[in-house]
Amino acid sequence: VLLQIFDAFKPRLHDSNSKVNQVALEAMHRMIPLLKDNLSPVINMLIPAIVDNNLNSKNPGIYAAATNVIQALCQHLDNSLLLQPFCTKAQFLSGKAKQDLTEKLA
């Protein structure tokens, strides 16, 4: 059931409408403390949706929301769940997104 919910939710995390995108990121930020490690089955799908475009966004609201989501993941999930998806994304990112994710890995 969780997989079906996040399959439907994931496209909103990188919606072309910046307001939809930002609200989805803010909703994700509120969900993380509630779901915690129960997110493990969908974490490999969520990390790219959260990071791609959002951490390099020129829209300050989207960038801030994406940064908050990454911070919440680090606070509320077992770090071992995040290590592989963060490393994989950090390899292929550029600019501020690469810097931000590399700092989280360190």
Side-chain angles (χ1 to χ4, degrees), residues 6 10 36 59 67 75 78:
F6 279 99
K10 183 181 110 173
K36 297 184 181 175
N59 180 319
T67 303
Q75 281 181 315
D78 182 343

Side-chain angles (χ1 to χ4, degrees), residues 16-105:
S16 59
N17 182 322
S18 62
K19 291 179 183 174
V20 171
N21 187 355
Q22 185 173 342
V23 168
L25 286 164
E26 290 166 356
M28 188 72 232
H29 181 250
R30 290 189 301 274
M31 283 188 265
I32 292 167
L34 302 172
L35 296 172
K36 297 184 181 175
D37 289 338
N38 293 321
L39 286 171
S40 63
V42 295
I43 202 70
N44 287 326
M45 166 184 56
L46 284 178
I47 299 287
I50 293 163
V51 171
D52 292 349
N53 301 324
N54 296 325
L55 278 183
N56 272 332
S57 178
K58 292 184 182 4
N59 180 319
I62 289 175
Y63 174 77
T67 303
N68 288 339
V69 169
I70 297 297
Q71 184 63 36
L73 287 170
C74 292
Q75 281 181 315
H76 297 285
L77 270 72
D78 182 343
N79 288 339
S80 65
L81 294 173
L82 301 173
L83 185 60
Q84 186 60 49
F86 277 12
C87 284
T88 302
K89 282 313 307 172
Q91 287 177 342
F92 301 104
L93 290 171
S94 61
K96 184 115 178 81
K98 185 174 191 111
Q99 179 183 343
D100 289 347
L101 214 52
T102 303
E103 286 175 8
K104 288 294 175 203
L105 281 165

